[in-house]
Amino acid sequence: MTKAELTCPKCGHKQETNIPESGCLAYYKCDSCQKINAAPEGICCIICAYSDSMCPVSTKG
Ligand SMILES: [Zn+2]
């Protein structure tokens, strides 16, 4: 399974998450500050928003 490194927009903490093979992750919880980070409006998921990777939906076009 592919992994992405998410960066928390609140505290800057970096954590790895598994990228699902299909579908999007709408939100995740920061391991450091416990903030629930949701994808901003107009961005499909937290993988695209907070990591340097793209989700499978985006990469498929
Ligand atoms: Zn955080």
Side-chain angles (χ1 to χ4, degrees), residues 9-61:
K10 181 180 178 189
C11 73
H13 175 74
K14 294 186 177 181
Q15 66 190 76
E16 280 196 335
T17 191
N18 292 322
I19 302 175
E21 290 184 27
S22 63
C24 290
L25 287 173
Y27 58 87
Y28 81 101
K29 187 171 80 172
C30 175
D31 284 340
S32 179
C33 69
Q34 309 299 306
K35 177 177 168 55
I36 306 292
N37 294 308
E41 200 175 330
I43 300 181
C44 71
C45 70
I46 52 100
I47 303 294
C48 297
Y50 301 124
S51 84
D52 54 4
S53 302
M54 301 293 277
C55 75
V57 176
S58 289
T59 51
K60 270 178 202 162

